Amino acid sequence: MEGYVVTEESYIRGELARRGIQDVMKAYDKFLREFSCKPDRRQFPLYKPGDVIDEDKSVKWNREQAERAKVAFDDEVKRLNRQKSAVASVYREVVVKLASKDAGVSTKEGAVLWRYAEMHGDSVYEVKSYFDDYAEMYLRTLEVRPEKHKSDPKEKGHKEKGQKPEQINETEAECECEVER
């Protein structure tokens, strides 16, 4: 895997995923940094207006060849962008699945948390750090949140069965976080 940008979907979902989240994130980060959407100029030359490609051909032919080369270059850029997007979504899916499992949330919940984390992080590692923070906050929120499925609707929102609203102490749900001063 060293020196090689992994783009094979079956390898990412299979062997790489079995190695663990750190290997997947390392490959994902390398992919994002090194996969270029710029075509090889030797294979897809880009000519300026007025460039002469073949002196023995007409001006019209040279102009048409330059236009064909530009279209081919643009098409290759689009193809590379589609490929990068497809491979990145496979990496993202695998990372979210593994990170969700590590964090103790469902893959669906993890996908939502990952999207929020992507808004704040610039690299895969930063996004994963934000994801971990958001997952922890989400799980803590679920701990203090009343259960959805209580047998008696009058008890919904109460900490203990049979507890009346006036018996609830607002300070019971204190945050475990400590503020550094």
Side-chain angles (χ1 to χ4, degrees):
M1 190 176 83
E2 287 299 316
Y4 174 69
V5 177
V6 179
T7 60
E8 284 296 318
E9 182 178 337
S10 60
Y11 180 77
I12 297 166
R13 290 183 195 274
E15 175 65 27
L16 193 57
R18 280 190 288 280
R19 289 187 192 173
I21 192 162
Q22 290 304 319
D23 284 351
V24 175
M25 285 179 47
K26 182 177 178 183
Y28 186 19
D29 183 59
K30 182 178 177 97
F31 169 77
L32 291 175
R33 283 184 291 108
E34 295 181 11
F35 187 91
S36 176
C37 291
K38 295 178 184 176
D40 181 0
R41 290 295 184 128
R42 293 171 296 205
Q43 198 173 5
F44 296 93
L46 198 56
Y47 300 103
K48 297 176 193 160
D51 279 355
V52 176
I53 299 166
D54 187 343
E55 292 179 359
D56 295 335
K57 304 285 183 171
S58 69
V59 172
K60 181 180 177 183
W61 182 89
N62 278 290
R63 193 175 320 122
E64 289 170 351
Q65 283 301 108
E67 184 59 34
R68 277 192 216 102
K70 182 182 181 322
V71 169
F73 183 88
D74 291 344
D75 288 347
E76 181 65 5
V77 169
K78 289 175 190 173
R79 185 192 73 76
L80 290 170
N81 277 319
R82 279 192 305 272
Q83 182 182 3
K84 185 172 187 172
S85 178
V87 173
S89 76
V90 171
Y91 271 115
R92 189 176 306 109
E93 178 186 319
V94 171
V95 168
V96 166
K97 184 177 179 181
L98 294 171
S100 297
K101 183 179 177 184
D102 288 350
V105 297
S106 73
T107 304
K108 194 172 187 178
E109 293 165 332
V112 172
L113 295 171
W114 190 268
R115 280 193 297 275
Y116 281 112
E118 282 181 322
M119 292 180 209
H120 302 285
D122 292 329
S123 72
V124 175
Y125 297 103
E126 285 182 12
V127 172
K128 172 68 167 67
S129 178
Y130 279 110
F131 173 87
D132 290 340
D133 292 344
Y134 294 154
E136 181 181 348
M137 180 181 64
Y138 173 70
L139 291 172
R140 283 184 173 198
T141 303
L142 289 179
E143 288 174 2
V144 297
R145 181 177 160 198
E147 290 184 36
K148 286 184 178 181
H149 306 290
K150 292 276 188 176
S151 57
D152 185 358
K154 293 178 187 174
E155 296 172 18
K156 207 170 208 172
H158 302 295
K159 294 188 90 180
E160 296 178 19
K161 196 170 188 174
Q163 189 178 18
K164 295 180 180 164
E166 58 272 3
Q167 294 174 324
I168 297 176
N169 184 351
E170 294 297 325
T171 60
E172 285 180 349
E174 290 181 19
C175 179
E176 295 174 18
C177 304
E178 293 181 19
V179 178
E180 292 181 23
R181 294 175 189 211

